[in-house]
Amino acid sequence: MKIKKIPETELEIMQVIWANPTPITTTQIKHILEEERPWSQGALQSLLSRLIERGFLKGGMQGKNKTFEPLVSEKEYLAVESSSFLKKLRGSSITELVTTLYDSKAITEKDIEELDAFIESVKKDERK
């Protein structure tokens, strides 16, 4: 299955599902989402159905409750999103991207240190 980009609202739902133990019920999803803003039960059900149709979720039942489990992992989705984002930059380098993020204060010195540690770990793995 080719993973496609999903709209922001559906991604918000997927983030709740990825961040919590599954299967997760509609009620649990709604409760978590409503920590940020109110959600209509009908709208949530429609979006969950759409995510099932798109192959992101598997639906089930637990007693009288509808449940959901991810079929696409967060890591898989982020890989697709990142690749798509980098293609949109049309040749801009990763260094330019990080520089821009740093200059705009979108990432911190701590983020840079974590990135540096990650790069060093990749280099060590490649030397093995």
Side-chain angles (χ1 to χ4, degrees), residues 48-62:
L48 288 165
S49 294
R50 197 174 305 154
L51 286 163
I52 290 171
E53 290 169 15
R54 291 183 178 174
F56 279 83
L57 292 177
K58 173 175 78 170
M61 293 296 288
Q62 201 172 59

Side-chain angles (χ1 to χ4, degrees), residues 10 13 26 39-53 66 68:
E10 291 175 28
I13 293 167
T26 307
W39 277 76
S40 150
Q41 185 75 18
L44 179 58
Q45 288 290 8
S46 294
L47 293 168
L48 288 165
S49 294
R50 197 174 305 154
L51 286 163
I52 290 171
E53 290 169 15
K66 288 185 180 178
F68 302 91

Side-chain angles (χ1 to χ4, degrees), residues 65-83:
N65 298 312
K66 288 185 180 178
T67 61
F68 302 91
E69 294 182 66
L71 294 175
V72 174
S73 73
E74 184 175 22
K75 187 175 182 175
E76 290 171 311
Y77 186 72
L78 289 176
V80 169
E81 278 287 295
S82 298
S83 175

Side-chain angles (χ1 to χ4, degrees), residues 43-128:
L44 179 58
Q45 288 290 8
S46 294
L47 293 168
L48 288 165
S49 294
R50 197 174 305 154
L51 286 163
I52 290 171
E53 290 169 15
R54 291 183 178 174
F56 279 83
L57 292 177
K58 173 175 78 170
M61 293 296 288
Q62 201 172 59
K64 294 180 181 182
N65 298 312
K66 288 185 180 178
T67 61
F68 302 91
E69 294 182 66
L71 294 175
V72 174
S73 73
E74 184 175 22
K75 187 175 182 175
E76 290 171 311
Y77 186 72
L78 289 176
V80 169
E81 278 287 295
S82 298
S83 175
S84 171
F85 177 74
L86 290 174
K87 285 179 187 172
K88 288 177 187 174
L89 294 178
R90 295 189 189 157
S92 293
S93 73
I94 295 291
T95 304
E96 288 175 32
L97 173 62
V98 173
T99 301
T100 302
L101 291 171
Y102 184 76
D103 290 345
S104 68
K105 306 286 188 247
I107 59 175
T108 64
E109 192 70 41
K110 183 175 187 267
D111 294 325
I112 298 292
E113 290 169 9
E114 289 174 1
L115 184 57
D116 186 47
F118 170 75
I119 291 168
E120 286 303 314
S121 73
V122 169
K123 286 180 182 177
K124 285 179 187 174
D125 286 346
E126 287 179 355
R127 289 184 211 135
K128 289 182 180 177

Side-chain angles (χ1 to χ4, degrees), residues 8-10 12-13 30-40 43 47:
E8 194 70 33
T9 307
E10 291 175 28
E12 193 174 344
I13 293 167
K30 186 174 187 295
H31 177 73
I32 294 165
L33 288 169
E34 286 187 331
E35 291 174 6
E36 297 293 319
R37 64 181 168 91
W39 277 76
S40 150
L47 293 168

